[in-house]
Amino acid sequence: MSDARTLSPWRTEIGATFRLAWPLALANLLQMLTYAVDVIFIARLGEAPLAASAITVALFGLVLWALSGLTGAVAPLIAEELGARAPALRPVRRSVRMALWLAVMSGAAGMGLCLLLEPIMRVTGQQEEIIGLASAYNLVVVWSLIPMVINNVLRNFVSALGRPVFATIITAGGIGVNALANYAFIFGNLGAPEMGIRGAAVATIMTGVAVTLAYIVAIRLDPRLHRYHIFGFWWRPDWSRLVKIVRVGTPIALTITAEAGIFGAAAFLMGNIGTSQLAAHTVALQIAALAFQVPFGMGQAATIRVGYFFGARDREGIMRAGWTAIAMGTAFMMLTASAMIAIPMPLLAIYIDPWAPENAVLVAFALQYLIIAAAFQLFDGVQAVAAGALRGLQDTRVPMWIAIFSYWVPGMGVALALGFATPLQGKGVWIGLATGLIVAALLLVSRWHRRDRLALTIRSSAAVPQPA
């Protein structure tokens, strides 16, 4: 009987985490499929356009992920406010409003950073054909940045309020919009102009705007979400709340930059090794990233679940929420790692025809990279969920330094050494990526394990929301 009582809170937490995580994980997977649609259509244009899109997305995706981390700090703030004093209408409304302000301001700044792509490509020695194609694509796709960051804020809001399935449904609809727009504007179908690689960028803009409108409609029609009136009095500032989002979110953004940056840098390194290696890297990384979306969703769920208990000052709840998510994320990544080893060709077939003779060289390289990706899947999942759990405690600064060190010292160091000083070349770069993820996972789990000793679970009384 006592064993049943002991297990009951854990079973409850597993159920709560699963109910929150599966729609987020599925939404993440669907978001990756949205990107996969671009890869599938662009790949039909040839190897050079595919490589050019990879270079562009290396920078654009880095900026987008960083800004998503910055504005995503609204999730632990909402969770803390709900845990301390639900429904917390005014605090939640103000947090979301300021996060939307931040999305617009940071998105505009991010567009400026993305426009530095051409000089970056020239400095890193990319081929002239790739530079021309990537620049044409980039000049259009940057306009999708602001709506995408806004969508991230709205997704965090609906998820923290217990409606993560909305993110799943809306993202699924976005896939349809993206596929139809790619079909129309890349190849000139359905009466649209034939724009080639720029057509894929137009499709991305249309998808971002459509998703924003879908979130607005969903929030307006759902009574639980609508009562927060997050779009009401949108012009009223709350500077202290904006500062708090920036203070919590900036280290998250830098953490994501450190991780996404090393993968983006790897694309530039591959570009110096060869076009076939870069194209193979793009496809293999898409598969690894697809698998990563599930533990990433677990990490998002961990942020919200830990944040609830952090607001309620429940240390036992914090412990259960974090370890449950870490265990569930790890178990899933063991499955994906096994799939990469056992059935690599069907996985490659998601993006290309691996049996076509013209793809033989690309496939040979991609198979090598997938074996290494399988080796670091487990650690990639662990570090993602552990980081999410720490964010629920609004502990973001030290994890930021852990990420910067792990990815850019042992990670990039090994990638450069093995990629350019040994015959391993592309495989050496991937071994470097694995090294960074392994070090990050070990350090982040160690910090989570020591959370009480580090006083991370102590919530300041100043953080308690004031009466609305």
Side-chain angles (χ1 to χ4, degrees), residues 82 85-90 92-93 157 161 163 218-232:
L82 293 173
R85 185 179 176 176
L89 296 178
R90 175 185 277 183
V92 170
R93 178 169 58 249
F157 168 66
L161 266 294
R163 296 289 190 268
I219 291 168
R220 176 63 182 85
L221 295 179
D222 184 87
R224 182 174 182 179
L225 300 178
H226 180 59
R227 67 174 177 165
Y228 285 88
H229 298 287
I230 61 171
F231 303 112

Side-chain angles (χ1 to χ4, degrees), residues 36 39-44 46-47 50 276 279-284 286-287 344-356 358-367 370:
V39 174
I40 290 168
F41 277 99
I42 293 173
R44 275 29 180 200
E47 201 173 69
L50 179 59
S276 295
H281 167 84
T282 302
V283 174
Q286 284 287 323
I287 295 171
M345 296 294 275
L347 293 177
L348 289 174
I350 297 174
Y351 299 98
I352 60 171
D353 181 357
W355 297 280
E358 63 269 21
N359 291 331
V361 176
L362 185 157
V363 169
F365 284 119
L367 290 174
L370 278 180

Side-chain angles (χ1 to χ4, degrees), residues 226-408:
H226 180 59
R227 67 174 177 165
Y228 285 88
H229 298 287
I230 61 171
F231 303 112
F233 303 105
W234 58 267
W235 59 87
R236 290 185 179 177
D238 187 333
W239 300 117
S240 62
R241 204 166 293 265
L242 179 62
V243 168
K244 185 174 183 180
I245 295 173
V246 172
R247 186 174 67 249
V248 175
T250 298
I252 299 176
L254 292 175
T255 299
I256 291 173
T257 301
E259 180 176 3
I262 192 172
F263 285 100
F268 285 95
L269 295 180
M270 288 292 190
N272 279 300
I273 294 173
T275 300
S276 295
Q277 288 92 328
L278 175 57
H281 167 84
T282 302
V283 174
L285 192 58
Q286 284 287 323
I287 295 171
L290 193 66
F292 174 75
Q293 299 315 304
V294 173
F296 183 54
M298 289 288 180
Q300 292 171 316
T303 296
I304 295 171
R305 293 295 299 166
V306 170
Y308 287 154
F309 291 116
F310 182 59
R313 304 188 181 189
D314 182 349
R315 291 190 182 184
E316 287 296 315
I318 290 171
M319 180 269 294
R320 285 194 302 271
W323 284 120
T324 296
I326 290 171
M328 293 171 71
T330 302
F332 178 82
M333 291 309 261
M334 292 177 67
L335 294 176
T336 61
S338 299
M340 288 181 182
I341 295 173
I343 52 170
M345 296 294 275
L347 293 177
L348 289 174
I350 297 174
Y351 299 98
I352 60 171
D353 181 357
W355 297 280
E358 63 269 21
N359 291 331
V361 176
L362 185 157
V363 169
F365 284 119
L367 290 174
Q368 296 174 13
Y369 303 155
L370 278 180
I371 293 174
I372 302 170
F376 71 64
Q377 285 288 290
L378 184 64
F379 293 95
D380 200 9
V382 169
Q383 65 87 22
V385 184
L390 290 170
R391 287 168 193 166
L393 301 176
Q394 298 177 27
D395 176 42
T396 56
R397 290 191 180 183
V398 173
M400 172 192 72
W401 290 114
I402 288 174
I404 292 173
F405 166 77
S406 301
Y407 304 137
W408 288 95

Side-chain angles (χ1 to χ4, degrees), residues 183-198:
Y183 174 74
F185 288 96
I186 291 180
F187 304 110
N189 295 313
L190 305 177
E194 183 178 351
M195 301 178 67
I197 193 172
R198 289 182 300 162

Side-chain angles (χ1 to χ4, degrees), residues 6 26 90 96 98 116 153 171 181 248 261 271 277 284 328 335 342 392-393 445:
T6 302
L26 183 55
R90 175 185 277 183
V96 176
M98 289 300 97
L116 297 175
V153 174
T171 306
V248 175
Q277 288 92 328
M328 293 171 71
L335 294 176
L393 301 176
V445 170

Side-chain angles (χ1 to χ4, degrees), residues 164-176:
V165 72
F166 283 10
T168 307
I169 296 170
I170 291 171
T171 306
I175 294 176

